[in-house]
Amino acid sequence: DPDPGPSLRVYGDGRVQVHYPHYMLRAGDYTLQLAPAELNQLVHSLISRGLAEFDAPGVRRRKRNLEARSDLFFESFDAVTTEIELRLERYQPRDGTAPDRPVHKRVAWPALRADAKRHRQIAEIQDLAAAQRELLSIMHRTDLVRVD
């Protein structure tokens, strides 16, 4: 199926585009306009969750190390891969050591929901799952307008 699945795009002017593939109940394309304050809150929330500095290889290493010490075998079949891409014209790292700079961060994490349930002790996975939930909440808003 050439349709890649559900997607959400939020632009710097607050414009939101939502796509649901044909096999979903809400199939089609939708739009929404976020107020400037709402857009700012969303961006600050994603930054506060560490998305701009997310170290996927490091977090995966920590996860593997924890799993290696466990006697439990776990595998998630048919898991969805969550992809979040963040592009900011200006970003000040949380530690304040570097000047404002542009950032382009893409995080792809398979089975994020399952990992968030299993690895509550890994804050970065919990933050990534919270960012996912926040973005998904936009996709479920009742004020989305269908685009024909």
Side-chain angles (χ1 to χ4, degrees):
D1 189 352
D3 193 333
S7 66
L8 166 72
R9 290 178 183 254
V10 180
Y11 296 93
D13 62 359
R15 185 171 38 99
V16 174
Q17 292 178 335
V18 174
H19 171 75
Y20 287 102
H22 66 86
Y23 55 83
M24 294 185 80
L25 199 54
R26 211 172 169 183
D29 296 308
Y30 298 81
T31 189
L32 169 72
Q33 183 67 43
L34 296 178
E38 196 174 10
L39 177 63
N40 269 347
Q41 189 278 328
L42 175 64
V43 171
H44 286 289
S45 176
L46 296 175
I47 288 171
S48 73
R49 296 182 195 287
L51 192 60
E53 299 175 33
F54 190 81
D55 174 21
V59 175
R60 281 188 178 87
R61 258 191 315 279
R62 287 181 49 212
K63 179 185 145 194
R64 276 194 310 272
N65 289 341
L66 282 170
E67 289 172 346
R69 292 188 299 234
S70 172
D71 293 337
L72 179 67
F73 175 76
F74 177 85
E75 187 61 44
S76 180
F77 295 97
D78 218 13
V80 172
T81 297
T82 297
E83 294 182 35
I84 301 175
E85 188 170 352
L86 181 67
R87 293 181 188 207
L88 301 173
E89 289 180 13
R90 291 182 1 191
Y91 169 70
Q92 174 74 46
R94 289 189 282 185
D95 62 10
T97 59
D100 278 351
R101 60 179 168 78
V103 69
H104 179 193
K105 186 67 155 191
R106 183 179 171 278
V107 177
W109 198 274
L112 178 58
R113 288 182 186 173
D115 281 351
K117 281 183 180 179
R118 290 191 63 232
H119 299 291
R120 296 192 187 281
Q121 69 276 42
I122 302 178
E124 294 90 345
I125 291 177
Q126 297 307 311
D127 285 341
L128 186 60
Q132 176 197 39
R133 285 190 302 272
E134 187 168 8
L135 293 168
L136 285 173
S137 74
I138 295 172
M139 293 182 72
H140 299 292
R141 286 178 50 157
T142 57
D143 55 345
L144 287 170
V145 176
R146 188 177 181 108
V147 178
D148 292 326

